[in-house]
Amino acid sequence: METALNSEKTTESNPVRDAYRKALMQFHSLLKKPRSLKGDYPGLAFDKMPVAHQEPITQALVEWVDFFQMHSFGAEISEKQFLWRFLKRFRMKAHPDFFTSVDDHTCFEVVDTRGRQTFRSISLMDCCSYSLDELVSIPWFELFHRDQEITDRYLGFQKQLSEGTVEHTNLEGIIPEHEVSEIFGFEKFVITIKPLFLSPIYDMDDNVVGAIVAIKTINCRSRRTENLERLVPEIAAVK
């Protein structure tokens, strides 16, 4: 896969793109489970992003890889411990009640005040058939779909986050268990998730700089596999 990426090098020098490609390959090499680095599309999904977004994407990926290299080896740690180390590494802190509210089997996503994802539990990749390039580059809402009412509730929290007023919130009774579907992922995965908490992240001066969404994955199924299983008996019947 590294050879395939190198074969797509352009003659025009682009330091940001080069840094992105290097970090992407490093991230790929650090993952314990095999993962597609990029899909069977020309170039990179990164190239299709607005130029103004490419440098922030690259910077976030480089920082993530740097952190991941430091903490992905040695004794196995839980997603909860991994998140705690992530916050400490980047001089951030969670709400006092957050870590006592979740267990070691919780999954986490961290977003900044602009809504950009800066941390995702590695276990969430097991229910995803997008390439690393797509996951890193393309905004969440272009990759996944969920009921609009659920999305609107999350957007309400995003507004609070951008205003610095988001609070530690138990999502039970506010955002119900629901399905999140891949829009164009190869497997067309449908993930059933249970939202648990949304909680602010602070810098060392107690300013809100992001939020953590804590969830449990209840089920993950492939619509591609389901469609194939449905078609096999139909084809056999025709023969």
Side-chain angles (χ1 to χ4, degrees):
M1 186 59 75
E2 182 174 345
T3 302
L5 266 188
N6 288 333
S7 68
E8 294 173 345
K9 285 184 179 178
T10 59
T11 55
E12 183 180 351
S13 176
N14 185 333
V16 174
R17 185 179 191 272
D18 291 345
Y20 171 82
R21 287 172 55 256
K22 179 181 178 181
L24 191 69
M25 288 189 288
Q26 288 176 322
F27 188 21
H28 179 261
S29 69
L30 290 169
L31 294 175
K32 294 181 180 179
K33 294 186 178 180
R35 176 122 219 118
S36 172
L37 186 60
K38 68 179 292 296
D40 57 352
Y41 43 80
L44 291 166
F46 174 82
D47 298 327
K48 299 178 179 63
M49 295 297 102
V51 174
H53 294 177
Q54 289 182 352
E55 188 166 354
I57 289 171
T58 300
Q59 182 181 352
L61 178 59
V62 169
E63 289 178 347
W64 170 252
V65 169
D66 179 54
F67 165 75
F68 199 62
Q69 284 178 320
M70 294 173 59
H71 297 281
S72 61
F73 300 105
E76 197 75 27
I77 62 174
S78 68
E79 302 278 19
K80 182 177 174 179
Q81 292 171 308
F82 203 50
L83 173 62
W84 184 85
R85 293 185 183 187
F86 173 82
L87 297 178
K88 183 178 179 181
R89 165 66 175 77
F90 293 103
R91 295 183 56 78
M92 297 184 289
K93 55 188 179 182
H95 187 278
D97 296 334
F98 179 75
F99 281 107
T100 58
S101 303
V102 297
D103 60 31
D104 288 340
H105 304 290
T106 306
C107 295
F108 307 100
E109 293 177 304
V110 172
V111 295
D112 63 18
T113 52
R114 297 182 182 179
R116 294 182 303 203
Q117 190 175 93
T118 58
F119 178 96
R120 169 185 287 187
S121 292
I122 299 300
S123 60
L124 287 174
M125 291 186 180
D126 296 337
C127 295
C128 175
S129 62
Y130 288 113
S131 68
L132 285 182
D133 175 40
E134 290 165 327
L135 279 176
V136 170
S137 297
I138 302 176
W140 190 94
F141 60 85
E142 293 182 22
L143 297 175
F144 300 95
H145 169 78
R146 60 184 165 209
D147 184 83
Q148 187 60 45
E149 183 180 349
I150 302 293
T151 297
D152 289 344
R153 295 184 188 185
Y154 273 115
L155 288 175
F157 284 118
Q158 180 60 44
K159 183 175 184 295
Q160 293 177 22
L161 175 57
S162 65
E163 295 170 348
T165 59
V166 67
E167 298 178 350
H168 180 67
T169 306
N170 185 335
L171 296 177
E172 185 177 0
I174 299 175
I175 301 181
E177 184 178 305
H178 61 276
E179 290 186 342
V180 173
S181 306
E182 289 188 333
I183 295 174
F184 60 89
F186 179 75
E187 291 290 343
K188 298 292 192 298
F189 278 131
V190 178
I191 310 105
T192 304
I193 67 170
K194 179 180 180 180
L196 301 176
F197 295 94
L198 183 137
S199 194
I201 296 172
Y202 308 96
D203 63 16
M204 293 297 105
D205 294 321
D206 293 325
N207 300 306
V208 174
V209 293
I212 310 168
V213 181
I215 65 172
K216 286 285 180 74
T217 55
I218 307 301
N219 184 42
C220 180
R221 57 186 177 85
S222 166
R223 283 178 290 165
R224 175 179 173 272
T225 300
E226 290 176 345
N227 289 337
L228 288 174
E229 290 175 346
R230 187 182 71 252
L231 285 173
V232 168
E234 294 178 359
I235 295 173
V238 172
K239 292 180 178 180

